[in-house]
Amino acid sequence: MDKLVEAIRKFDNPSVVGLDPTIALLPPQLFAGAREIVGDIDTVKGRALWAAMVNAKFLEFNRSIINAVKDIVPAVKVQIAMYEALGPAGMMAYVETCRAAHEAGLHVIGDIKRGDIGSTAAAYAYHLSGIPRPNSEIFQAFDLSGGASENTSQCKCLADDERDEGKPDASREELGFFPWYEDSVTVNPYLGTDGIAPFVDAAQQADKDIFVLVRTSNPSSDEFQELMSDNDQRVYEHVADKVMQWGSDSVGDEGFSRVGAVVGATHPRVGASLRARMPRAMFLIPGYGAQGGTASDVAAMFDVHGEGAIVNSSRGIIGAWRKDPAYNSALSIEDSLQLVGMNARRAALDMRDALNTALKERS
Ligand SMILES: O=c1ccn([C@@H]2O[C@H](COP(=O)(O)O)[C@@H](O)[C@H]2O)c(=O)[nH]1
């Protein structure tokens, strides 16, 4: 997490902008004429054209936000669900969004919430370590090599070779070794250690990080996470202890391991207790703004130095333009996107200031 900690310090801003576009969050003028272009939406062609168009608009929208905030925030969190909902073209919009953020110098958190049995988790973990080698386990399992390769025992990724040769990230990108442009991803711990270990290994190989869901922000999260086990511990407390264990071999210079924790801003008391329980875990805190979390709710989730956490807001920042009286439907596409960017910037600055004030006030 050293790079993320450094980026937060550089901007004096422990917040992350969530790029979770929906059609309702985009200015309607971006879709002017869409009906005519798409034709009948209930045909395969119409639906495919619509998805391609929406994805192109998502990308345009995201780029205007990235440009507007790149000099004031350290990171973006890109929620893959919003893109995946639009099919294969959506995945390209996801990747291109991550790439635009990466090229703008931002730390990119891929909110992909993966988790599966070990062998499948190993395949998902290539999000971090790059496209697998032809002789990696994932290809061997299906014998795509025609039995030619000898090496079946190791799941070795392309990034290994690059790292061995000491090549910088840029050359990895050129070679297609780093296709997702994510610096970290979110993972779901429900399957236990064998579902997480491949992500920890991949993060270690590729010098990246993961964030494990520990105490999520949503209303139903109590159903399982608050359950009490025999030894008087809540389920989320068990997960927290596992997160510490999973990260124990990867504590960086800044004192945080590669294995961070997702803790919702909507649980201030629990968040504070988790801070004490997980001193080496960086917290990714969603639930600020649109879900009701405030700066004072999250202040106790930072460590004594006011570090160790990054707070996400998605709708509250990318949808801020909708409250601006300067918006009107007659604005050109260009002007509407400028308004989107200006409002996102203002909302991001307000969030930064609110967090820094709450951190000062608590001491
Ligand atoms: O516990 C969790 C884990 C992840 N999220 C994600 O964060 C954003 C929140 O969006 P807002 O618009 O700021 O509410 C979204 O991508 C969620 O999937 C979360 O909210 N809670």
Side-chain angles (χ1 to χ4, degrees):
M1 296 281 176
D2 289 349
K3 286 187 266 182
L4 181 57
V5 173
E6 276 163 31
I8 293 170
R9 276 189 202 143
K10 176 175 160 199
F11 293 107
D12 189 23
N13 186 356
S15 72
V16 46
V17 171
L19 295 174
D20 301 24
T22 61
I23 291 170
L25 287 171
L26 269 58
Q29 41 272 80
L30 265 75
F31 294 98
R35 269 259 160 251
E36 293 71 47
I37 296 167
V38 167
D40 185 353
I41 193 76
D42 286 325
T43 61
V44 171
K45 187 177 162 207
R47 200 61 70 89
L49 267 175
W50 172 243
M53 183 182 302
V54 174
N55 280 309
K57 299 300 172 186
F58 278 5
L59 194 51
E60 208 177 346
F61 175 79
N62 290 344
R63 284 195 174 124
S64 61
I65 290 169
I66 290 166
N67 271 334
V69 301
K70 66 184 179 195
D71 61 330
I72 54 164
V73 300
V76 291
K77 182 174 82 60
V78 191
Q79 172 51 261
I80 202 166
M82 300 321 197
Y83 307 86
E84 216 168 300
L86 288 157
M91 297 312 281
M92 281 314 293
Y94 172 81
V95 171
E96 287 303 319
T97 296
C98 293
R99 179 193 179 109
H102 169 78
E103 283 172 359
L106 292 162
H107 186 98
V108 179
I109 303 172
D111 197 351
I112 63 172
K113 295 193 185 69
R114 299 302 152 101
D116 212 317
I117 62 165
S119 56
T120 326
Y124 282 130
Y126 286 111
H127 259 273
L128 293 176
S129 52
I131 295 170
R133 296 170 64 90
N135 65 347
S136 65
E137 234 166 58
I138 181 173
F139 287 154
Q140 288 285 325
F142 300 101
D143 199 22
L144 292 184
S145 66
S149 172
E150 299 289 312
N151 182 3
T152 56
S153 61
Q154 257 188 324
C155 182
K156 196 163 159 45
C157 65
L158 288 172
D160 285 346
D161 284 356
E162 288 306 294
R163 209 171 37 121
D164 293 348
E165 290 164 24
K167 289 184 187 164
D169 273 356
S171 64
R172 285 206 281 155
E173 277 167 55
E174 281 157 26
L175 294 164
F177 285 19
F178 177 36
W180 292 98
Y181 298 94
E182 295 147 331
D183 296 297
S184 56
V185 294
T186 55
V187 293
N188 188 330
Y190 198 72
L191 280 90
T193 298
D194 62 351
I196 295 293
F199 287 97
V200 177
D201 291 348
Q204 186 69 32
Q205 282 172 23
D207 189 19
K208 295 188 182 186
D209 304 304
I210 63 172
F211 289 97
V212 179
L213 301 178
V214 173
R215 189 68 184 88
T216 61
S217 64
N218 54 311
S220 310
S221 60
D222 294 3
E223 277 175 16
F224 302 136
Q225 295 166 21
E226 287 284 343
L227 285 179
M228 193 72 91
S229 66
D230 292 346
N231 59 354
D232 247 15
Q233 304 232 344
R234 308 265 175 196
V235 165
Y236 75 79
E237 292 174 315
H238 280 293
V239 179
D241 294 347
K242 279 288 179 194
V243 166
M244 286 296 291
Q245 201 181 312
W246 292 327
S248 60
D249 290 338
S250 66
V251 176
D253 294 343
E254 300 296 345
F256 298 102
S257 82
R258 290 195 188 280
V259 186
V262 175
V263 180
T266 48
H267 309 294
R269 192 188 46 79
V270 168
S273 75
L274 284 173
R275 178 72 280 160
R277 196 176 188 110
M278 309 172 75
R280 299 277 171 237
M282 183 82 184
F283 284 10
L284 169 62
I285 307 177
Y288 182 97
Q291 295 176 52
T294 64
S296 53
D297 288 336
V298 302
M301 300 186 203
F302 287 76
D303 68 14
V304 286
H305 309 292
E307 298 193 309
I310 188 159
V311 186
N312 177 81
S313 175
S314 304
R315 288 167 288 183
I317 290 182
I318 68 175
W321 66 271
R322 296 194 298 180
K323 292 188 184 147
D324 188 338
Y327 173 77
N328 72 75
S329 56
L331 289 179
S332 67
I333 291 179
E334 205 177 40
D335 288 347
S336 72
L337 285 175
Q338 200 166 353
L339 195 86
V340 164
M342 271 170 40
N343 280 280
R345 185 178 175 86
R346 201 174 302 139
L349 287 170
D350 287 349
M351 181 174 172
R352 177 197 69 184
D353 295 346
L355 289 171
N356 285 338
T357 303
L359 284 172
K360 273 197 200 98
E361 281 172 358
R362 98 193 156 147
S363 44

